Amino acid sequence: TLSALLENLNKGRNVHPLPIHPEMKGNDGTNQMAKAKLQAWTEEKDNSGLAASKKRFIATIKRKTTTLKAFVEIDMQNYPAEPPLWSLQNEDGSTGSATFLGEQSGSLSLLRNNSKSNPPLFDAALNRIECHVNEDLDQFVNQNEETTYDWILIHQLADIVSCWDEVMNAGEGNGQRKGGDDLRRLRKGKDRRLVGLGERSPFYHYRQGL
């Protein structure tokens, strides 16, 4: 199943919406609302620093004129028992984590002009999306349907697309410009949480019923 998923991603261009397991679909069509789309999926040629069983891929996600890079490490032998690990980067070089997968592979230099002595800028919105897809793994499977575990990779990617689309949409609604960590820190309420992250997810209504 992993090979089939990767083959479809390699072939796909502007795939929208991304396919998800039938057992995980909601009935509301929220995944049709997102303006963000997967534009390209490529294998990172430089896999230095990785275990022999691992490969690194880059998903290029486009929303209007804005681009997000999603880097993922996959253990080809132990997937899905060892889930994919994601790291995100905006086109301005800001990232969602201190340890960035693209920096390890050298791809980071293609996306930002900062010198190697400068750490990448931190983006709080990307960090929340990263934590969600890397840690909330039970949100991407139906424990009563074993075959959904094989789909974790595509489910994580689908949620990255929809969550990032929602963050960007909220920023536009608040009249905020593109770029910059502070501009994407969309806040509300006493708990100061990011606005509505996940409500456009293709899994949103499925999850509400759990």
Side-chain angles (χ1 to χ4, degrees):
T1 300
L2 176 59
S3 298
L5 290 176
L6 292 174
E7 183 178 355
N8 288 333
L9 287 171
N10 285 328
K11 291 180 179 178
R13 291 295 183 271
N14 294 314
V15 179
H16 183 73
L18 286 166
I20 61 174
H21 194 285
E23 290 294 328
M24 301 291 292
K25 288 183 178 179
N27 297 317
D28 64 321
T30 50
N31 55 340
Q32 302 281 354
M33 297 167 54
K35 295 179 181 178
K37 299 179 181 180
L38 176 66
Q39 185 181 53
W41 175 272
T42 57
E43 181 178 349
E44 174 62 64
K45 300 304 180 183
D46 181 10
N47 284 313
S48 58
L50 292 180
S53 62
K54 292 186 177 182
K55 290 185 178 181
R56 185 183 289 113
F57 298 86
I58 306 172
T60 303
I61 302 164
K62 194 85 172 181
R63 189 184 192 277
K64 297 182 179 179
T65 60
T66 308
T67 301
L68 177 74
K69 294 286 186 179
F71 294 77
V72 61
E73 288 182 2
I74 305 174
D75 190 316
M76 306 299 288
Q77 293 182 3
N78 297 316
Y79 175 92
E82 183 172 332
L85 180 64
W86 293 86
S87 185
L88 308 178
Q89 184 185 52
N90 288 309
E91 57 189 4
D92 64 1
S94 56
T95 71
S97 57
T99 303
F100 182 63
L101 300 181
E103 189 172 43
Q104 296 171 10
S105 68
S107 301
L108 187 59
S109 60
L110 300 176
L111 301 173
R112 65 179 174 89
N113 296 321
N114 294 353
S115 68
K116 292 184 179 179
S117 60
N118 294 328
L121 300 172
F122 178 76
D123 186 300
L126 292 191
N127 177 256
R128 185 176 178 194
I129 298 172
E130 275 189 25
C131 291
H132 167 56
V133 298
N134 287 328
E135 298 174 11
D136 299 335
L137 298 175
D138 60 327
Q139 298 290 299
F140 300 101
V141 298
N142 180 339
Q143 296 183 11
N144 295 319
E145 179 55 60
E146 186 176 353
T147 58
T148 60
Y149 287 81
D150 294 326
W151 288 60
I152 286 179
L153 172 67
I154 199 77
H155 289 172
Q156 288 173 313
L157 180 57
D159 240 16
I160 289 171
V161 172
S162 62
C163 289
W164 180 64
D165 181 80
E166 186 169 351
V167 169
M168 298 301 294
N169 182 69
E172 292 171 358
N174 283 282
Q176 298 190 19
R177 297 169 299 166
K178 295 182 295 182
D181 179 41
D182 291 337
L183 297 178
R184 276 185 287 272
R185 290 181 180 179
L186 312 175
R187 312 281 186 160
K188 72 172 184 178
K190 294 181 180 180
D191 58 3
R192 310 298 287 173
R193 281 185 277 181
L194 292 164
V195 174
L197 195 60
E199 292 178 5
R200 293 192 175 202
S201 167
F203 312 105
Y204 181 73
H205 284 268
Y206 167 80
R207 290 167 180 163
Q208 300 309 299
L210 293 180

